[in-house]
Amino acid sequence: MRGLRRVLGAHWGKIACLVLGLGLAVGGSFYLWNQHRFGETAAHADGTIVGLHESSGTGEDSGSTYCPVVRFVTERREVVQFTDRTCSDPPPRIGTTVEVLYDPDHPQRAQLGATRWLVLGGVFTTFGFLITAGVVYSIARAVSRRHGHQRSGRLQDRPRPQDTDTG
């Protein structure tokens, strides 16, 4: 138990990074799975950006970003308008045609094409796995070195057969 506390105390920063990496990997994987599931059941439609919703940032250097307001027609001929969650600066151009994915039973649950969402989820997942692998390697290497030094110290306390003078 004391050894575990010593390892935790010596590697607290690495362990914090490990938790961060695991969180990104698990969160990104869940996000990808959720987007994939939505994409399998979602209906597709062509939409048009009909307006912009300005979103003001916080802080002194934060400027405004613009979320597209999109209008599309469902398979049931309903006209639906929604504001996408992804904002940008510069703003998207009004009148641009965009791919829309929506829930056929609840068309207000809509979002712009899934490609960028998959890229975002993939980046988080990959980054999380890389951080996790790097930290695990670093901790294992440090523990191995420490364990190796302790072993070699014990071995040097005992005389080796070639070091004894029998002549």
Side-chain angles (χ1 to χ4, degrees):
M1 186 67 171
R2 235 175 41 201
L4 179 62
R5 270 190 267 155
R6 193 174 333 150
V7 168
L8 290 176
H11 301 287
W12 68 268
K14 292 176 186 174
I15 292 169
C17 288
L18 179 66
V19 170
L20 172 71
L22 286 172
L24 285 172
V26 170
S29 296
F30 177 75
Y31 183 78
L32 280 173
W33 175 75
N34 204 19
Q35 286 298 326
H36 175 73
R37 205 175 61 176
F38 177 73
E40 284 184 334
T41 60
H44 295 254
D46 287 332
T48 304
I49 298 176
V50 295
L52 300 171
H53 174 76
E54 184 176 357
S55 177
S56 299
T58 56
E60 57 190 60
D61 290 338
S62 297
S64 294
T65 56
Y66 303 89
C67 305
V69 177
V70 179
R71 184 177 299 144
F72 67 98
V73 179
T74 69
E75 293 172 344
R76 296 177 187 152
R77 300 285 180 217
E78 296 175 72
V79 176
V80 177
Q81 185 169 308
F82 74 99
T83 302
D84 193 54
R85 297 177 295 194
T86 305
C87 303
S88 64
D89 185 29
R93 296 178 69 192
I94 294 176
T96 303
T97 301
V98 292
E99 179 189 13
V100 176
L101 299 176
Y102 67 94
D103 181 342
D105 297 326
H106 306 280
Q108 284 296 329
R109 293 184 192 159
Q111 65 184 38
L112 295 183
T115 305
R116 65 191 167 136
W117 294 109
L118 294 176
V119 169
L120 180 66
V123 167
F124 279 123
T125 302
T126 302
F127 194 57
F129 279 128
L130 288 174
I131 290 173
T132 301
V135 172
V136 166
Y137 173 77
S138 177
I139 291 173
R141 189 169 172 209
V143 168
S144 173
R145 272 188 282 159
R146 182 173 178 91
H147 187 66
H149 287 304
Q150 288 174 348
R151 256 209 205 138
S152 65
R154 277 187 247 142
L155 290 176
Q156 287 178 0
D157 290 344
R158 295 186 212 136
R160 292 184 291 194
Q162 67 264 25
D163 291 341
T164 58
D165 187 16
T166 57

